[in-house]
Structure formats: structure tokens, C-alpha cells
Amino acid sequence: MQDRWNAFMPYPTVNVGHAATGPLSGFRLAVKDLFDVAGYPTAAGNATILAASGIKTSTAPLVRTLLDAGACFVGKTNTDELAYSLVGGNIHFGMPINPGNPDLIPGGSSSGSAVAVAAGLADIGLGTDTSGSIRLPAAVNGLVGWRPTHGSLDTRRLRPLAPSFDVPGFMTRSLEPIAEVMSTLGMPATNEHPLSILIVEDIFETLDDAVADEMIVSLRSAAMSVRRIDTISSFSLADLSLAFTTILQSEAWESNKTLFERSPEAIAPDIAARLLSGSRLDDGEVREARGIAKLFSEEIDRLLCEKAVVALPTLAMSPPTRDATPESFAAFRSACIKLLCLSGLSGCPQLVFPIPGSGRRISVSLIGARRTDKMLVNVAKQRWFE
């Protein structure tokens, strides 16, 4: 396969069997290089992990389910190192190229899977989402992205980053493949329709006026009741972001502590700095952050129990260019986390998709109550894509 986008890892091709027929027959599947696939190593974006990996003899159960449903494996994809970034860069294997705008970052850490789908090299991109690694690259590449309800999909033989937030997720070019994947994976069907779409004022206040106006017009044209609320939580977005980051850094350190202590020089400096930040957190800080996460989750449960769906922009600011400064990348990551952390802290599903008519320029997100993943697709289909 020609891969001028650097979407795939440069592994020798191995035949990975799949069912001849099934609901995913005809779909090409690209798999982030965090999942084990028999016949391939698993590098997690790190050369030292690759050297120690060996060839795997078993395939991650989630990947096997997709193959047994007829999906055809086309390769393992590039990932940000240790899946610990939102930009898409990797000092070991290079940054994939954004097919829609090669000057922009591809988004991470599921950058390779996003680029494979956006470039037409795959139909389904399997990745992971901890702090936004499905949703952000989907938005940057003009794709549909699905972060499932936390804990709803099998994570065996998947290298962890922060288990409190880690979720396998998917990216496609349209809603139909996402719906097929949901059915294949046994997501519960629902005939419910939300009574209203909630617009959170303090979130929209962070947007450029033009983007906010276009999103509001799109939401109102969706033929549903739109209800404005002042804030999504009794906590500020900054407080929620800090709590999320504290838990993430603590768990990321635990997941990668052995690698860091044995081979600190094998990890990119920016990734190593984040790991070190996690190592310095004390138990009290982490305990307080987990308390905020618990209270926020309870608030979201109450907010969404009346069949409401929160609509918000996927990204808090425009993505930087691939040659931007480290400071620009850090500012982008920090701004986006304030919106992306909401699903992580609550465990709720989130569906992202480009607004029709925006030229895939503006990505909107829908967040629903836990286990309403299919409802989010139904809402998007019926209200935006009919």
C-alpha cells in the first residue's frame, strides 16, 4: 500500500484473517499500534518498546470481534509516543500528514488511524481516547469520531495510559460505518429521542464569534428544542481540566514508570516531562482530583437524566501548524483539554462530526448519558444529515 501520509507503521505485511461475510464486510480496518495483532509487534510509538515487543501471538479481543464481523485489516497505525499527546508528533516514527491540509497537525494520539481514514486508505480507524485522542484528530481531519461510554468495550491486550479514562474509539468518514460498528460491538439499541439540546453559555463564550454563530445556527436548524444553560457544572472548566490532568498524569506515570526508570533517554523530552509531573503528585492532590471527578459525574447524571444532549464545539481553538513552536502546541493542548475532559471525567459517550455545509471546517460534539451511544448517532442522522 502506498502511504505517502505516514499513517501506518513500517511493519512487514502479515496476512491477518477475517470472516468472509459479516456486517463489516467490505470495510478496511486500520488499527492503532497500541492494540496487539497476531503477527505484528506493538510499539506504542516508542522505539524501546518496539525493540522489546517481539511478535505478538494473540490479537486483542476487540480487534478480533471486528475481524470476525468481516472487517479487513490493512495495517497498524502511527501513534503519538505512549499515546500521551494530542498533537500527532513522534520523534521515533515521524508525524503523519494531514491529508486535508498538510500544513496543519494531524492531531493525536490516534493520528495514524485518523489520517488513514481521511486519506481513503481505510474505512474504519480504530484508536484510543484518553484525553481526546479520537475526538481531536477526527475534528482536525474532518471525520466522524466516537468516544464510547467508558468501560463498554473490551480493553484486553491494549496498552494502557490512564485506565480511569482510556477508551477504545473509532473514526470514519460518515455516520453509517460508526453505526455498523456500534451494532457489531453490541451497543444497546435505543428508540429514545432527546427532548432538548443543551447549549452551555460559558463554553460558547470561549469561541470565536463567527464559529459560535455558525454552530448556533446549525443547532437551531436541527429541528430540536435548544435550551441554554449558564454552566455545565458547579466547578469551572479550569477546575475540571486541572482535576482531569492530575488524575491523567498520576495514572500515566504508573503505566510508564518502569519504562522511564529503565530508559529515560528513550522518551521524547516533552513526554518525559509530563511523566515526571505525574511522579511528583502527592496522594492528597490525586485524592482531591478524584473527588471532583466523582461530583462532576453525579452532576452530569442529573443534567442528562431528562433525555438531554449537550452540544459543544469539539475544539476550543483552531489547530496549529505542524511546524508551530512547542509553546503553541502546549497552549493548544491546554485549551482543548478544557472541553475534551468532560467526557473523560463523566464517563459519558461523545460523538463528533463536521457540521454539514461548513466544508468539514467546524466540528460539533454531542455528549449523552452513559450507554446512549446509539442515540447520539440517531440524533446526528435525523437532525443534521437527513
Side-chain angles (χ1 to χ4, degrees):
M1 178 193 304
Q2 288 288 337
D3 179 20
R4 61 193 180 95
W5 311 105
N6 194 33
F8 292 94
M9 292 293 291
Y11 297 147
T13 300
V14 175
N15 182 36
V16 176
H18 64 278
T21 59
L24 299 183
S25 182
F27 289 113
R28 297 163 298 165
L29 172 67
V31 177
K32 185 177 185 177
D33 196 24
L34 290 184
F35 295 87
D36 287 354
V37 175
Y40 288 84
T42 299
N46 177 273
T48 298
I49 294 176
L50 173 60
S53 166
I55 301 301
K56 304 302 181 183
T57 58
S58 299
T59 296
L62 177 61
V63 176
R64 175 47 57 193
T65 297
L66 300 170
L67 299 174
D68 290 345
C72 176
F73 174 83
V74 292
K76 300 195 78 178
T77 56
N78 220 326
T79 172
D80 288 23
E81 188 171 8
L82 308 179
Y84 201 7
S85 183
L86 291 172
V87 171
N90 188 301
I91 65 169
H92 307 283
F93 306 108
M95 180 185 285
I97 298 171
N98 184 327
N101 189 336
D103 291 331
L104 295 181
I105 62 167
S109 63
S110 303
S111 54
S113 292
V115 167
V117 172
L121 304 177
D123 304 297
I124 299 170
L126 171 59
T128 62
D129 191 307
T130 302
S131 57
S133 294
I134 288 288
R135 293 163 289 161
L136 189 148
V140 170
N141 288 277
L143 302 174
V144 176
W146 169 41
R147 176 191 165 96
T149 298
H150 186 266
S152 62
L153 300 185
D154 198 323
T155 57
R156 287 175 292 170
R157 305 197 73 83
L158 164 63
R159 193 179 193 280
L161 175 61
S164 290
F165 305 133
D166 292 345
V167 181
F170 296 87
M171 293 168 286
T172 60
R173 287 186 296 279
S174 63
L175 287 169
E176 287 72 18
I178 287 285
E180 289 288 355
V181 170
M182 286 186 181
S183 296
T184 297
L185 298 178
M187 301 307 296
T190 177
N191 294 319
E192 293 184 342
H193 300 286
L195 299 178
S196 61
I197 292 180
L198 302 179
I199 294 177
V200 185
E201 293 285 4
D202 64 350
I203 289 177
F204 275 76
E205 287 171 1
T206 67
L207 302 181
D208 293 337
D209 289 342
V211 174
D213 290 345
E214 188 165 351
M215 283 198 67
I216 295 293
V217 168
S218 175
L219 292 169
R220 285 177 173 159
S221 69
M224 293 184 63
S225 170
V226 176
R227 179 160 61 95
R228 292 176 179 266
I229 58 176
D230 291 335
T231 183
I232 199 169
S233 169
S234 61
F235 300 100
S236 69
L237 294 177
D239 287 341
L240 293 173
S241 176
L242 177 59
F244 176 87
T245 302
T246 298
I247 299 168
L248 169 64
Q249 289 184 340
S250 174
E251 295 190 3
W253 169 249
E254 290 302 321
S255 296
N256 295 285
K257 179 178 179 180
T258 300
L259 172 67
F260 184 90
E261 291 178 341
R262 289 178 178 173
S263 306
E265 74 288 346
I267 303 172
D270 59 326
I271 307 296
R274 262 172 258 155
L275 291 175
L276 274 174
S277 293
S279 74
R280 295 171 181 144
L281 292 167
D282 64 49
D283 291 344
E285 291 175 285
V286 178
R287 188 164 51 250
E288 180 181 1
R290 293 193 186 279
I292 291 174
K294 182 177 184 296
L295 292 172
F296 174 70
S297 180
E298 292 169 354
E299 290 179 333
I300 290 295
D301 287 346
R302 289 193 294 270
L303 181 67
L304 301 180
C305 70
E306 298 178 356
K307 299 182 182 178
V309 169
V310 174
L312 69 161
T314 305
L315 302 182
M317 62 185 294
S318 299
T321 58
R322 58 189 294 120
D323 60 354
T325 64
E327 293 76 17
S328 295
F329 290 149
F332 174 70
R333 186 183 303 109
S334 177
C336 288
I337 285 289
K338 290 180 180 178
L339 303 186
L340 295 170
C341 73
L342 302 177
S343 286
L345 289 170
S346 65
C348 292
Q350 185 168 342
L351 184 75
V352 314
F353 51 90
I355 292 180
S358 73
R360 297 187 174 265
R361 181 176 62 89
I362 301 176
S363 175
V364 65
S365 283
L366 301 177
I367 298 176
R370 281 185 284 270
R371 309 296 288 179
T372 63
D373 305 63
K374 276 194 168 182
M375 184 182 76
L376 299 181
V377 172
N378 293 340
V379 171
K381 279 184 178 179
Q382 295 165 6
R383 307 306 182 184
W384 274 275
F385 291 91
E386 280 189 341

